[in-house]
Each structure stands twice: as C-alpha cells, then as structure tokens.
Amino acid sequence: MKSRFVFRTFSRLVSTAIIMAFAFTAFAQTTPPPTVPDTSKMTYNQMSQGLKLYVYPAKGQSQQQQKEDEFECYKWAIEQSGIDPLNLPKVEAPPPQTGPTGGAVVGAAKGAAAGVAIGAIAGDAGKGAAIGATAGALAGRRAGKQAQAQANQQAQASAAASEQAMKDSFVKAFSVCLEGKGYTIK
C-alpha cells in the first residue's frame, strides 16, 4: 500500500517535470542568428553602395574579387566594431514626458505676487492677486509644456545620434579593411 502511494507520487512528479520541460521549450524565446548577406545574389559593390561609399579597385581587382573582399571586410568590420548594420540594435529615446510640469504653480505664485502689488496701487489687492495668479498660471503652464517638448526633442536627437555613431563605427572599420586590401575609398 505504501509503495503504491510512493509510486503514484513519483510518477506525478516525473510527468509534471516532463510537461514543464516541454512548456519551457515551446515558449522559450530564441534570438535569431545574425543574418549574413547571401553573396551569391549580390552585385560586386552592393555592400559599399549600401554604406554610401565609393570604392575604386586601385590595384586592378576584378569585380568578383571586390565582391569577395567586401564580404570579408563586412565580417571583419562586424568583429572589430561590434556592430552589424543589417541588425542594428535599436536605440530608443525615453518615452515622451507628459503631465503636469509644475510651471502653472510657479507661474501662479509669481503672478499673484505681481497682482498684489498692482492691486494695492489700484485699491483692491485681493482682486489683483487673483487676476495675477490666473495670468501667471497660464503663462507658467505654457512655459512648462514648451520645456517638456524641447526635452523630448533633445531625447529623440540623442537617440538618433547614438544610432549614427554605431553606423559610423562600422563604416570606419569596413573602410579600413578595404583600404588594406588595395582599394581607394571616398
């Protein structure tokens, strides 16, 4: 009787483990391998043209030799720069800032202070403070929104600059390799 209980418990554990192993395998996310261009379908200068480079075979290399050299340099540039232009890592800017900026509160305080001074001269400091606070809040809110928009634009520009720096690093390595193989690059 006791051995049956142990057997059932053991078989349940084993079957649960097997099911979990299949589930983890089925739902595991795999990173696709880096894509290497299919050189059989490429033209002799497709890589250099894609990088907006002009490559001249200064030592009389054939088109087939240039194609092979460009492919070798492509692989070498990936190793050296750590960047694959066909699989660039996405540099994302932080999400845009939204919501209250605090500018309305600061503007209201400044407007109220100015309104009190103006209202005191006109004879009703309370009314002057209320008008000044309203005007200051509107101006402060507008200034806060403008500051947010400017910060968002700067974040986008920074992300774009990071992507361009990665591309430039690869192009530099690719160019150095081709120059070492006797090509002139501009």
Side-chain angles (χ1 to χ4, degrees):
M1 183 86 154
K2 189 173 186 179
S3 64
R4 275 182 129 185
F5 175 74
V6 171
F7 178 74
R8 281 187 198 161
T9 304
F10 178 75
S11 63
R12 286 181 185 156
L13 285 173
V14 169
S15 62
T16 303
I18 291 171
I19 291 170
M20 289 182 71
F22 281 119
F24 284 128
T25 304
F27 293 111
Q29 290 183 350
T30 57
T31 304
T35 57
V36 177
D38 182 6
T39 56
S40 66
K41 297 177 183 174
M42 293 175 54
T43 60
Y44 78 97
N45 64 350
Q46 186 174 345
M47 286 186 188
S48 55
Q49 280 185 343
L51 297 171
K52 295 182 175 45
L53 296 173
Y54 293 98
V55 178
Y56 178 75
K59 294 185 178 179
Q61 298 94 327
S62 68
Q63 289 183 352
Q64 181 61 32
Q65 183 63 48
Q66 182 175 345
K67 179 178 164 180
E68 291 171 11
D69 288 342
E70 284 190 12
F71 184 67
E72 285 179 33
C73 287
Y74 174 85
K75 292 188 298 187
W76 185 83
I78 289 172
E79 291 173 12
Q80 298 304 308
S81 68
I83 302 299
D84 180 357
L86 297 178
N87 299 307
L88 276 177
K90 186 69 178 159
V91 178
E92 294 190 28
Q97 296 177 358
T98 58
T101 62
V105 174
V106 172
K110 288 180 181 177
V116 166
I118 293 170
I121 294 170
D124 191 353
K127 191 173 186 180
I131 293 171
T134 302
L138 292 173
R141 184 170 184 265
R142 187 177 328 111
K145 292 258 186 214
Q146 288 173 344
Q148 260 183 358
Q150 186 177 8
N152 292 339
Q153 285 175 343
Q154 286 175 344
Q156 292 289 338
S158 176
S162 294
E163 273 188 20
Q164 188 60 46
M166 285 190 282
K167 289 177 187 174
D168 291 346
S169 174
F170 176 86
V171 168
K172 184 176 182 179
F174 183 78
S175 298
V176 165
C177 179
L178 282 176
E179 286 174 352
K181 291 183 177 285
Y183 294 89
T184 302
I185 299 167
K186 295 289 176 188

